Amino acid sequence: MRSDARRNRASMVAAARRDLSERGSLSMRRVAMTAGVSRSTLYRHFSTRAALEDALREEALGAARVAIEREVQEDRPPVAVLRRLVEARAGPAPPRPGAAQVRGAGRGPGRPGRGARR
Protein backbone atom coordinates (compact mmCIF):
# COMPACT_ATOMS: atom_id res chain seq x y z
CA MET A 1 0.00 0.00 0.00
CA ARG A 2 1.32 3.45 -0.89
CA SER A 3 2.23 5.81 1.92
CA ASP A 4 -0.57 8.27 1.04
CA ALA A 5 -3.09 5.40 1.02
CA ARG A 6 -1.82 4.29 4.46
CA ARG A 7 -2.18 7.85 5.76
CA ASN A 8 -5.68 8.12 4.31
CA ARG A 9 -6.68 4.81 5.87
CA ALA A 10 -5.29 5.83 9.26
CA SER A 11 -7.11 9.19 9.14
CA MET A 12 -10.37 7.48 8.12
CA VAL A 13 -10.13 4.98 10.98
CA ALA A 14 -9.33 7.81 13.43
CA ALA A 15 -12.28 9.84 12.12
CA ALA A 16 -14.56 6.80 12.46
CA ARG A 17 -13.37 6.24 16.03
CA ARG A 18 -14.14 9.88 16.88
CA ASP A 19 -17.53 9.77 15.15
CA LEU A 20 -18.49 6.62 17.01
CA SER A 21 -17.34 7.90 20.40
CA GLU A 22 -18.92 11.35 20.01
CA ARG A 23 -22.20 10.38 18.37
CA GLY A 24 -22.62 6.69 19.16
CA SER A 25 -23.05 5.85 15.48
CA LEU A 26 -21.05 5.89 12.28
CA SER A 27 -21.87 8.04 9.30
CA MET A 28 -19.77 7.30 6.24
CA ARG A 29 -20.36 10.87 5.05
CA ARG A 30 -19.14 12.39 8.35
CA VAL A 31 -16.16 10.03 8.47
CA ALA A 32 -15.06 11.04 4.96
CA MET A 33 -15.54 14.73 5.71
CA THR A 34 -13.67 14.55 9.05
CA ALA A 35 -10.84 12.52 7.47
CA GLY A 36 -10.55 15.02 4.62
CA VAL A 37 -11.13 12.44 1.90
CA SER A 38 -13.85 11.90 -0.66
CA ARG A 39 -16.56 9.34 -0.03
CA SER A 40 -15.28 7.36 -3.00
CA THR A 41 -11.86 7.14 -1.32
CA LEU A 42 -13.51 5.98 1.89
CA TYR A 43 -15.52 3.34 0.01
CA ARG A 44 -12.41 2.19 -1.85
CA HIS A 45 -10.84 1.31 1.50
CA PHE A 46 -14.02 0.20 3.28
CA SER A 47 -16.74 -1.01 0.93
CA THR A 48 -19.37 -1.00 3.68
CA ARG A 49 -19.97 0.49 7.10
CA ALA A 50 -19.52 -3.05 8.49
CA ALA A 51 -16.03 -3.19 6.96
CA LEU A 52 -15.14 0.10 8.67
CA GLU A 53 -16.55 -1.20 11.96
CA ASP A 54 -14.41 -4.35 11.51
CA ALA A 55 -11.35 -2.14 11.10
CA LEU A 56 -12.22 -0.32 14.33
CA ARG A 57 -12.58 -3.64 16.16
CA GLU A 58 -9.28 -4.91 14.78
CA GLU A 59 -7.56 -1.70 15.88
CA ALA A 60 -9.04 -1.94 19.39
CA LEU A 61 -8.12 -5.61 19.72
CA GLY A 62 -4.59 -4.90 18.49
CA ALA A 63 -4.16 -2.14 21.06
CA ALA A 64 -5.53 -4.42 23.80
CA ARG A 65 -3.16 -7.20 22.73
CA VAL A 66 -0.15 -4.88 22.91
CA ALA A 67 -1.22 -3.59 26.34
CA ILE A 68 -1.72 -7.13 27.65
CA GLU A 69 1.64 -8.31 26.33
CA ARG A 70 3.36 -5.31 27.92
CA GLU A 71 1.68 -5.91 31.29
CA VAL A 72 2.32 -9.66 31.28
CA GLN A 73 6.04 -9.11 30.71
CA GLU A 74 6.21 -7.41 34.09
CA ASP A 75 6.43 -10.04 36.82
CA ARG A 76 3.28 -9.25 38.80
CA PRO A 77 0.31 -11.28 40.04
CA PRO A 78 -2.39 -11.87 37.39
CA VAL A 79 -5.02 -9.95 39.39
CA ALA A 80 -2.74 -6.89 39.54
CA VAL A 81 -2.19 -7.14 35.77
CA LEU A 82 -5.93 -7.40 35.13
CA ARG A 83 -6.70 -4.49 37.47
CA ARG A 84 -4.16 -2.28 35.72
CA LEU A 85 -5.54 -3.18 32.28
CA VAL A 86 -9.12 -2.47 33.31
CA GLU A 87 -8.15 0.82 34.95
CA ALA A 88 -6.24 1.84 31.82
CA ARG A 89 -9.38 1.27 29.77
CA ALA A 90 -12.14 2.36 32.14
CA GLY A 91 -10.37 4.47 34.74
CA PRO A 92 -9.85 3.68 38.40
CA ALA A 93 -12.72 2.15 40.33
CA PRO A 94 -14.54 4.47 42.72
CA PRO A 95 -13.93 3.84 46.42
CA ARG A 96 -16.03 1.08 47.91
CA PRO A 97 -19.08 2.40 49.72
CA GLY A 98 -19.48 1.77 53.43
CA ALA A 99 -21.74 -0.99 54.69
CA ALA A 100 -24.54 1.47 55.48
CA GLN A 101 -24.56 2.69 51.90
CA VAL A 102 -24.59 -0.85 50.51
CA ARG A 103 -27.56 -1.96 52.63
CA GLY A 104 -29.84 0.61 51.02
CA ALA A 105 -28.35 0.47 47.52
CA GLY A 106 -30.71 -0.34 44.69
CA ARG A 107 -33.85 0.02 46.79
CA GLY A 108 -36.43 2.40 45.62
CA PRO A 109 -40.18 2.57 45.47
CA GLY A 110 -41.56 -0.91 44.95
CA ARG A 111 -38.20 -2.63 45.48
CA PRO A 112 -38.18 -4.55 48.74
CA GLY A 113 -34.96 -5.17 50.60
CA ARG A 114 -33.65 -8.52 51.75
CA GLY A 115 -36.12 -10.54 53.74
CA ALA A 116 -39.04 -8.27 52.91
CA ARG A 117 -42.28 -9.86 51.83
CA ARG A 118 -43.33 -9.38 48.28
Side-chain angles (χ1 to χ4, degrees), residues 43-67:
Y43 279 104
R44 236 175 291 151
H45 286 268
F46 306 102
S47 58
T48 63
R49 183 187 343 247
L52 182 54
E53 290 168 347
D54 288 344
L56 289 172
R57 271 189 288 281
E58 288 173 21
E59 178 188 70
L61 288 173
R65 188 177 302 112
V66 167

Side-chain angles (χ1 to χ4, degrees), residues 4 8 10-13 18 20 25 31 43 47 49 62 65 68 72 76 85 87 95 97 101 105 110 114 117:
D4 61 330
N8 282 345
S11 68
M12 289 181 280
V13 170
R18 269 192 311 275
L20 194 57
S25 64
V31 169
Y43 279 104
S47 58
R49 183 187 343 247
R65 188 177 302 112
I68 290 168
V72 169
R76 291 188 311 181
L85 289 168
E87 286 178 352
Q101 292 172 317
R114 254 199 253 165
R117 291 187 183 170

Side-chain angles (χ1 to χ4, degrees), residues 25-47:
S25 64
L26 270 180
S27 161
M28 298 297 268
R29 179 179 298 215
R30 278 192 313 258
V31 169
M33 189 173 20
T34 303
V37 298
S38 67
R39 285 193 322 194
S40 62
T41 297
L42 176 62
Y43 279 104
R44 236 175 291 151
H45 286 268
F46 306 102
S47 58

Side-chain angles (χ1 to χ4, degrees), residues 82-93:
L82 182 59
R83 179 176 289 121
R84 189 163 168 180
L85 289 168
V86 169
E87 286 178 352
R89 178 68 180 123

